[in-house]
Every structure is written in C-alpha cells, then in structure tokens.
Amino acid sequence: MTDNAFAPPVRMWSSALLEKGWCVIPELVAPATIAALDRDLEQDFAETPFCSGGFYGARTKRFGRLLTRSPLSQRLVAHPLVLGIAQTVLSPWCDCIQLNLTQALALHPGAPPQLPHRDQDMWRGAVGETEYLVNVMWPFTRYTKDNGATLVWPESHGHRALAAEPPNGAFPVEMEPGSALLFLGSTLHGAGGNRSSEVRRGAIVSYCLGWLKPYENQWLAYPPQIARTFPPELAALAGYRQHRPNLGNYEGQCPSVLLQDEVPDRLPATDALRPDQAELVAQFVAGQDWRP
Ligand SMILES: O=C(O)CCC(=O)C(=O)O
Ligand SMILES: [Fe+2]
C-alpha cells in the first residue's frame, strides 16, 4: 500500500496520467543511482546481441530480468510513488497489480523509428473501457529528439484507442536520467529514430492487472530460489501472490509458500477469496442443511 507521505503526489500524478495518457515525473531517483545501475548492466549492454524483427528493431538491444542483474533495479521497480500510481490507476479492474516486465534497451545510432503501437494490444481484451497497463520508461542516458526519445501521441488513450484514424501530433519526450516517463497501455507511442552518434540507453518497467498473462514470464525470470532473496512486497509483485479468488496458486496455496525454507510435500488447498466472495460462501455454508 502507498506510504502516507506519498498519498497526495500519488493522487495528483494518477489523475494527470489518466487525463493525459502520459506524464513525466522529474527527479524521481538520484542520477548517480541510475548511473550506477547503467554501470552494473554494462556487460549485458555490450554482450547482448541486437534484436531480430521489425518491432524490436535490428539496431536495438534488449534484455529482461533486471532484478537478477542489478540490485539497484529494485529502486526503480519498487519505487513507492510509481507503485502507488500504478495501483491507483489499475485498481478499478483488479484485486492487485503485478510486474509485467523489466527490460533494458539500447537504441543504437541508425535505429529507425519504431512502429507506433499501444502496449495493451498484446492482450485481446475489450478496448476503450479498461486500462491494462502502466508503463514506465527510465532513461539511463539523456533522451533527445535526435537520439530517439520515445514518441508519444497525446490524447490517444482510453476510448480514443477505438478511433479508426490514427491521431496526429506525436512528440519526442526529452528527459534526463533520474526522471521517468509514465504512460498508459492505451497510449500510442514508439521509440523515435536515432540520428545521433550516441547510444540511447534506458529501461522499461511496466505493471499490469494481476489477472493477465504478463509479457515477461515472471516465474521463469525469478524462480523461487531468486525470489526468496527479494523483500516480500517485491516477490508478491513478481508473481508470488494470489490474485483473489485463487488465481496463480501453487497446490491451492499462495505461491509465496515456495519461498519458505521447508516446503511440505502435501498442502491443504485453502480458499483465497475476496471479502464479498468469502461472505457469499460463508452464508451458503451456514445455511446448508445437508446430510450425506
Ligand atoms: O524505446 C522506446 O522509446 C519505446 C519502446 C517501446 O515502446 C516498446 O518496445 O514497446
Ligand atoms: Fe511500447
């Protein structure tokens, strides 16, 4: 849950995000922290092969599982203000949110602009009435118009995602390390083209409704032996929590049971219901007059 100190900014930024479809929050993290994270990932950036395919981009490198690669990535993933905003924006449609992906990306000189897209289109749900995702772009280098800063189409979100005609007026979101661009799953966007001689590096961290299949398979990215090193809230975000009722269980238990030292071979399947469902079940069971 959101820390009280963060409650007013969470409300303010959540309204801005829902209204505009995107926002830039300045100076969220110390630039030195971002620089240290960038250094931790130096070898990954150097040795990861370029992507394959027109969407990922042949002049772009990407890699996931950031929580296994640098402990500093926790500062981004579990940033209290960002988490509070993601929870506030997505809570009308889910019981709890989950981590959808962490992905570092390096846009090399000569990378052409990416296909404009809405990240929510990875799921085949209703368009225009539900928000599925909150995306956060964390720059590691400065993002400029020249080096391929993310292009955002303002006023392209929500029900506007149903419009047949693409909206006009994309603009590059220029920003410095330490700041972050937040946008909705329904907001049209894409990487810009890199006409500069510098590599544009950064990371995307996104959060989605807790009942969706996440883009990055969280349980494979963070198997129990890794997730048990996380603070419990982070493990929960990475899938070690049930989405009530009972979704994502292990042997009928919260999958966080796998993070304990000893896991019994046999476990009692145990209801994990929302309060309204627990009440319904309790009334049904109490009113039952049945003998075998
Ligand atoms: O690199 C960017 O600026 C955006 C990347 C993106 O939107 C994506 O890969 O889905
Ligand atoms: Fe995207």
Side-chain angles (χ1 to χ4, degrees):
M1 268 285 102
T2 309
D3 210 295
N4 271 348
F6 281 102
V10 163
R11 274 199 297 276
M12 186 190 89
W13 288 110
S14 303
S15 312
L17 182 56
L18 283 164
E19 195 185 313
K20 292 195 339 179
W22 68 279
C23 61
V24 173
I25 308 185
E27 295 167 29
L28 261 182
V29 165
T33 304
I34 300 289
L37 172 58
D38 190 27
R39 272 197 305 279
D40 282 354
L41 301 177
E42 196 175 349
Q43 197 176 357
D44 293 307
F45 276 123
E47 294 181 6
T48 299
F50 281 100
C51 304
S52 165
F55 181 74
Y56 280 150
R59 292 290 296 152
T60 301
K61 293 185 175 190
R62 297 171 189 258
F63 49 86
R65 295 190 300 118
L66 298 191
L67 293 167
T68 65
R69 297 179 195 267
S70 167
L72 289 173
S73 57
Q74 290 192 19
R75 306 264 191 101
L76 311 191
V77 173
H79 191 288
L81 178 56
V82 170
L83 274 186
I85 295 168
Q87 275 161 358
T88 303
V89 168
L90 299 175
S91 63
W93 298 282
C94 64
D95 193 43
C96 58
I97 63 166
Q98 64 182 332
L99 189 59
N100 183 54
L101 70 93
T102 64
Q103 186 184 70
L105 71 180
L107 201 69
H108 281 248
Q114 188 186 27
L115 174 82
H117 61 279
R118 293 179 167 89
D119 287 339
Q120 69 182 12
D121 290 342
M122 67 184 118
W123 298 294
R124 297 291 300 270
V127 172
E129 51 202 66
T130 306
E131 286 302 338
Y132 297 93
L133 176 91
V134 171
N135 223 322
V136 188
M137 174 64 88
W138 293 92
F140 292 178
T141 61
R142 60 187 188 150
Y143 274 31
T144 66
K145 182 171 190 269
D146 262 14
N147 74 12
T150 308
L151 297 170
V152 165
W153 277 256
E155 308 290 316
S156 62
H157 61 294
H159 65 87
R160 299 174 197 87
L162 288 162
E165 291 298 310
N168 297 320
F171 73 97
V173 182
E174 300 196 306
M175 50 181 179
E176 298 289 326
S179 302
L181 161 66
L182 277 66
F183 54 99
L184 300 172
S186 59
T187 303
L188 194 66
H189 69 282
N194 189 347
R195 295 181 190 280
S196 77
S197 55
E198 42 190 69
V199 178
R200 190 213 76 175
R201 286 190 306 283
I204 305 174
V205 178
S206 68
Y207 311 86
C208 68
L209 304 179
W211 46 266
L212 285 168
K213 178 169 184 166
Y215 168 96
E216 180 179 42
N217 187 316
Q218 298 299 316
W219 296 293
L220 295 179
Y222 310 117
Q225 69 272 22
I226 304 277
R228 61 168 37 190
T229 66
F230 295 167
E233 266 301 301
L234 185 66
L237 204 55
Y240 292 86
R241 160 166 67 193
Q242 291 180 89
H243 187 282
R244 296 178 298 179
N246 302 328
L247 195 61
N249 75 79
Y250 174 83
E251 296 284 17
Q253 296 269 324
C254 178
S256 60
V257 73
L258 292 172
L259 308 181
Q260 299 171 5
D261 289 339
E262 301 280 329
V263 185
D265 276 347
R266 293 184 177 78
L267 291 158
T270 302
D271 287 346
L273 306 176
R274 290 194 313 261
D276 59 311
Q277 297 167 320
E279 173 72 29
L280 184 70
V281 170
Q283 276 177 17
F284 177 79
V285 171
Q288 235 170 5
D289 181 18
W290 189 84
R291 304 250 178 289

